[in-house]
Every structure is written in structure tokens, then in C-alpha cells.
Amino acid sequence: MKKFLALLLALVMVFSMAACSSSSDSTDADEEETTTTETEETEEAAEAEETEEVEETAEATHYTIGIIQQLEHDALDLATQGFEDALIELLGEENVTFDFQNAQGETANCATIANSLVSEGVDLILANATSALQAAAAATSDIPILGTSVTDYATALGIDDWTGATGTNISGTSDLAPLSEQANMIAELCPAEEYPNVGILYCSAEPNSVYQSTVITGYLEELGYTVSEYTFADSNDIASVTQNACDNCDVLFVPTDNTAAANTEAIYNVTSVAGVPVVAGESGIMSGCGIATLSISYYDIGYIAGEMAYEILVNGADITTMEVQSAPEVTKMYMADRCEELGITVTDEYEAYVVEE
């Protein structure tokens, strides 16, 4: 009997210890789960708070953008408008201020404006046209500079080993339509058999015009033309140089050239009397004095520059490696009335240019 009681007490003690152990394990597990949950909730709360702070900071950031526009002209105006529209859309109108300044076609004014914007400490500079870009480049190597309405960045900035990016604080968009296609367009409208002599009319003070003339000359000569250059130093001798070109040529090509763009009436006054057709490098010059062009949208290249600015300012894109961008598409356009007057026939590929009143 005593042995039976002893055995019974031993069994009771074993079960009691097992129960206590089970209870302890359960309690430890519950405590561990609670601790893990609390830790996860704390981390999630911290992440949410950090995200909220970042969003609030982004929303609170205000940018000041300096704009140097070389002169007032329809094409350049559209590029500036596209740039501003892109940033207003991406940043919100309340988060960006544009300090727009027009250099009125004076290189010295471009330099003065650029230095002023650097002194103000703007967040980014848009340089609209070549002289504006060169002035901004000379003024700062720190503030990001985006160009637009610039034909060739390598020429404008004196870069020999061009790779598509400048490697400096400069990038942007180009207004150059393919010169090989522009040469082909001249051949379509004014075949070498009928118009053997092509004159290239441009301002010698604009390096991008020199570049275009050099490149397209090679293409035109391959197509059987005899090519001559006729250059003016400024607006004062445009009429006389144009007259000389008309006296010796059958057709003229005027590249994207800011001085020419600002003086198309003077060019047209001569060419229209002489009956010499003008093929232009862009639509603004064409509408003023030409018969056709391989057109790009200046608004589009300005808008693309605005998107690039957003990437630099907000997303930290490295401007030194950003490749210069071109217009997404080109369009063959013509002036119907002038082509008819000169007896020039166009194909269905060409779109009639509509002059806005």
C-alpha cells in the first residue's frame, strides 16, 4: 500500500511539472509574438513617418529657373513655352518660378543675363539658342544648364570628341533636322538638272550655321549641285548679300540661323523679285521667305528640355551623362502660294503650311 501511494505521488508531481512547463512555453511564445508584432508595427510606423516627411519635403521644394532667350522669335518663343509647360505640369505651378530674360539678339546681353542669374543662385538655367548657351557655359560650371534651339552642341561648345553628352554641367535639346534629308528635299523640289547652283545664305557670326553649311554642302555636291556660300556679318548687309546670291544661284538654302530668322522680310524682298526659291532649315524662316522646310516642333524640344530639368532637379539625374536629345519627328512642309508662283510641284508627302493670323 505504501508503495502504491508513493508511486501515485510521483505521477502527480510529473504531470504537475509538465503542465507548468507547457504553460511557461506558451507564455514565452505569446510574449515573443507580442514583441515581434510590436517591433514590426514600430518599424512600419517609422517608415510611414519617413515617407510622409519625404513627401512633405518634395511638396515644399520650390525651384527658381533662369531663362536666357537669345531674341524674340516664333520658334524660340515656342521652345520656351514648351519648357515652362513641362515643368509646371511636373512640379506644379506653385513650386516653380521662371526668371525669363530676353537678350534682344545681343551677345553681350546674353553674358550679362547669365552672370546675373548665377549671382542670384538659380537652381537651373535654360539657354534658348546658341549664344545664350555659350554665355551660360562661360558664366558657371556648377549650376545645371539645359540648352534648346541649339543646332550642334559640339560646335557651340568646342567639343572635338563628341559622344552625345558634354561631360559637363550642360545638356539639352537640338533643333537640327537631318541635313541629309534636307539636301534630298532640295533635290526633290529643285532638281540639279534645272537648278544646278545652290547658294547657302547665313550669318558668319553663328557657328551652328557654319556647321550646317559645311555638312549640307557635302550632301548637295554628292547630288550633283555646285554649292557656294554667301555670308552676312549682321542684319545691315543681309539685303546686299542676298542680292549677290540671287544673281549667281538658282536656289538658296537658309539653315537654322537666328539672324536670318529675325530678318526674313529683308531676304524675301530680294528673292521674291528675283524669282529664286528658298529652302529653309526651319518653319519660321520658311514662313517668312521660303518655299519649303523639313520642320520640327520647337514646342516639343522645349518640352523635352523641361522633362530633363525635372529629372535633374527632382530625381537627381547626372547632367554630365545626359545625352542631347533631338525632336521626336520631322515633317516636310511647304508654302503653297509661293510654290505655285514659282512653278514648283510638291508630292503628297508635304504638308501645306498654314499661316496663323
Side-chain angles (χ1 to χ4, degrees):
M1 183 66 178
K2 290 180 179 180
K3 290 182 179 180
F4 175 76
L5 290 173
L7 180 60
L8 183 60
L9 287 171
L11 290 171
V12 170
M13 291 179 65
V14 169
F15 284 120
S16 176
M17 290 175 66
C20 289
S21 175
S22 176
S23 175
S24 175
D25 290 344
S26 176
T27 301
D28 290 345
D30 290 344
E31 290 177 353
E32 183 178 349
E33 183 177 352
T34 301
T35 302
T36 301
T37 301
E38 291 176 350
T39 301
E40 291 175 349
E41 290 176 350
T42 301
E43 291 176 351
E44 289 175 358
E47 290 177 359
E49 184 177 350
E50 183 178 348
T51 300
E52 186 176 349
E53 289 177 355
V54 170
E55 290 176 350
E56 288 177 355
T57 301
E59 290 176 0
T61 301
H62 187 278
Y63 300 98
T64 300
I65 311 296
I67 299 176
I68 313 170
Q69 184 168 311
Q70 188 166 318
L71 73 163
E72 186 176 353
H73 179 263
D74 289 346
L76 304 188
D77 292 345
L78 284 170
T80 294
Q81 188 63 58
F83 178 80
E84 292 182 349
D85 286 352
L87 281 175
I88 288 172
E89 180 180 327
L90 293 167
L91 293 173
E93 188 171 5
E94 70 280 4
N95 294 325
V96 60
T97 296
F98 299 105
D99 185 351
F100 173 84
Q101 299 189 49
N102 192 321
Q104 303 299 328
E106 298 293 334
T107 301
N109 290 345
C110 288
T112 300
I113 294 169
N115 289 325
S116 174
L117 294 175
V118 172
S119 297
E120 292 174 17
V122 296
D123 297 298
L124 183 142
I125 295 173
L126 175 73
N128 193 348
T130 302
S131 293
L133 180 71
Q134 292 170 327
T140 179
S141 59
D142 299 318
I143 297 173
I145 300 168
L146 289 172
T148 192
S149 312
V150 175
T151 302
D152 182 66
Y153 283 72
T155 300
L157 300 173
I159 301 174
D160 294 326
D161 54 342
W162 179 249
T163 61
T166 68
T168 68
N169 62 319
I170 300 170
S171 189
T173 56
S174 169
D175 63 356
L176 181 63
L179 288 165
S180 60
E181 293 184 33
Q182 294 187 58
N184 289 335
M185 183 174 60
I186 292 173
E188 289 172 358
L189 300 174
C190 304
E193 294 79 7
E194 299 176 44
Y195 302 81
N197 298 302
V198 177
I200 303 179
L201 182 70
Y202 66 92
C203 178
S204 58
E206 297 194 27
N208 283 315
S209 298
V210 177
Y211 166 79
Q212 291 172 82
S213 179
T214 301
V215 174
I216 200 170
T217 293
Y219 291 126
L220 289 170
E221 288 177 343
E222 289 177 1
L223 292 168
Y225 292 96
T226 298
V227 183
S228 303
E229 292 184 321
Y230 295 87
T231 64
F232 45 85
D234 53 40
S235 59
N236 295 321
D237 57 347
I238 284 181
S240 61
V241 172
T242 302
Q243 185 63 62
N244 186 29
C246 288
D247 290 342
N248 294 281
C249 299
D250 305 299
V251 57
L252 301 184
F253 174 70
V254 180
T256 56
D257 182 287
N258 290 303
T259 306
N263 293 275
T264 56
E265 183 178 358
I267 295 172
Y268 184 66
N269 286 341
V270 176
T271 58
S272 60
V273 173
V276 175
V278 174
V279 176
E282 54 94 4
S283 60
I285 296 175
M286 180 199 68
S287 66
C289 64
I291 62 164
T293 187
L294 193 62
S295 177
I296 68 163
S297 167
Y298 276 80
Y299 181 89
D300 285 350
I301 62 171
Y303 194 94
I304 292 170
E307 293 176 322
M308 295 171 75
Y310 178 83
E311 290 299 317
I312 294 165
L313 295 171
V314 178
N315 296 328
D318 182 3
I319 192 172
T320 65
T321 62
M322 295 180 77
E323 292 193 356
V324 170
Q325 303 294 307
S326 298
E329 59 184 30
V330 294
T331 304
K332 291 181 177 180
M333 305 193 77
Y334 76 107
M335 301 293 291
D337 56 343
R338 293 176 190 160
C339 285
E340 184 177 355
E341 288 174 6
L342 294 168
I344 293 174
T345 304
V346 301
T347 66
D348 292 340
E349 292 182 288
Y350 288 78
E351 294 183 11
Y353 183 85
V354 179
V355 180
E356 296 181 3
E357 297 181 358

